[in-house]
Amino acid sequence: MTQLDITVRNEHHRLVLDVTGPINSYTFTDFQEKIYKAIAQADTAVVMEHVTALSSAGIGVLMTAIEDAEAAGHGFAIVKPSEIAKLAMDSTGFGDRFPIVQSLKQV
Amino acid sequence: MESEPSRRRGEESSIRLAPVPESIPAFEDFVEALPFPSTRERARLKLAGDEILDNIVRHAAPLERRRVFVRAARRGGSPYLLFFFRSSSPTAFADFAAGYPAAAPLFDPARRRWRGMGLLMCRNLAEKVTVRHGAVMDRIILAFRRED
């Protein structure tokens, strides 16, 4: 799969981004635009169960999203990351800093 | 995007890619189609290879013959990923190699994101990363731990 699909839905007063496909240096700008826009508006959860790659560009966006959400006073969570997305986050050496939950109910 | 179909021979496959961003998804498709890695090995090959290819495209181009040759193989039980290319600019490879080992990540306000983690990720995903400047070709070799 080479295409990144992101759908945004409003659920219980928070925004949920369902991300499918690879987040790499070729696709990450769409991810960046949608996640920053969501965080500025409301609590945000990013479901990454179907992410097939996560490059350093995508990791950089997630790190910025964590900080921007905190600055905006909004909650932010990464929901059920795929095995490869979790491996990418852990490979930075600070995987424990990413707010990962296994279900939207935990957000 | 220019790319040439991959060649397969036992536990070894290769592909030629143009040094352009569009080659990133082509590389990912190449890794997905490899017959020999386990699921965990494939994930490491894809993540680390994405970072190396992205760095070649951004820092080592322009390349002679406008090609990056990529080979994936299992040797002695361990997966390997090899990148062969040749920078047209005599300083381009040095610029690339200067990024390894990786510097500390930093926030880039112009791009509105943290940067500088790609080669750090490679160092943690692969068991060994070798960067060599040669008379004919420049080479980057990533050796991975065998994982079932």
Side-chain angles (χ1 to χ4, degrees):
Chain A
M1 178 184 288
T2 59
Q3 187 179 329
L4 180 65
D5 291 316
I6 304 171
T7 58
V8 184
R9 57 190 160 100
N10 201 320
E11 186 182 291
H12 304 302
H13 306 291
R14 71 183 167 209
L15 291 171
V16 178
L17 278 69
D18 292 295
V19 186
T20 301
I23 305 170
N24 55 38
S25 58
Y26 186 59
T27 64
F28 82 95
T29 50
D30 187 32
F31 179 62
Q32 183 178 34
E33 184 185 315
K34 286 178 175 159
I35 201 170
Y36 290 178
K37 186 176 177 184
I39 282 163
Q41 294 173 345
D43 292 349
T44 300
V46 184
V47 181
M48 300 185 71
E49 186 177 3
H50 300 295
V51 167
T52 58
L54 178 59
S55 75
S56 60
I59 293 277
V61 169
L62 285 173
M63 288 171 63
T64 306
I66 293 166
E67 294 175 342
D68 285 1
E70 193 175 324
H74 291 145
F76 178 73
I78 297 164
V79 182
K80 206 174 182 181
S82 61
E83 198 168 317
I84 195 168
K86 182 69 167 60
L87 176 64
M89 288 185 266
D90 288 343
S91 73
T92 62
F94 42 85
D96 57 339
R97 294 194 192 176
F98 294 92
I100 294 172
V101 297
Q102 290 305 314
S103 160
L104 272 171
K105 292 177 183 172
Q106 295 175 262
V107 179
Chain B
M1 192 219 21
E2 299 170 51
S3 67
E4 291 178 17
S6 59
R7 293 180 182 178
R8 298 213 166 84
R9 195 178 57 192
E11 294 195 316
E12 182 174 306
S13 297
S14 58
I15 188 171
R16 291 178 194 273
L17 297 166
V20 294
E22 290 86 346
S23 289
I24 300 285
F27 169 76
E28 290 178 356
D29 288 345
F30 165 72
V31 174
E32 280 296 334
L34 290 173
F36 56 85
S38 67
T39 302
R40 289 181 178 183
E41 290 170 342
R42 192 184 310 279
R44 288 178 184 270
L45 290 168
K46 190 194 283 188
L47 292 174
D50 265 5
E51 299 301 332
I52 295 296
L53 185 58
D54 182 50
N55 273 272
I56 291 171
V57 170
R58 285 189 293 114
H59 301 301
L63 306 184
E64 287 180 5
R65 303 178 69 184
R66 292 192 49 76
R67 289 286 188 281
V68 183
F69 182 76
V70 184
R71 178 175 295 151
R74 184 183 295 285
R75 293 175 182 172
S78 300
Y80 281 79
L81 203 50
L82 304 93
F83 293 81
F84 302 91
F85 57 98
R86 181 68 175 165
S87 300
S88 298
S89 162
T91 61
F93 186 80
D95 291 346
F96 172 88
Y100 190 86
L106 53 87
F107 182 73
D108 183 340
R111 299 186 188 200
R112 293 190 62 214
R113 64 179 170 91
W114 282 81
R115 295 183 62 201
M117 286 166 292
L119 296 178
L120 171 69
M121 289 169 68
C122 282
R123 193 174 59 192
N124 292 329
L125 287 164
E127 197 165 53
K128 187 179 180 185
V129 181
T130 306
V131 180
R132 285 187 190 152
H133 180 57
V136 178
M137 296 290 276
D138 298 322
R139 288 168 288 175
I140 299 170
I141 304 163
L142 294 90
F144 297 86
R145 189 176 69 242
R146 180 178 187 138
E147 290 182 280
D148 295 327

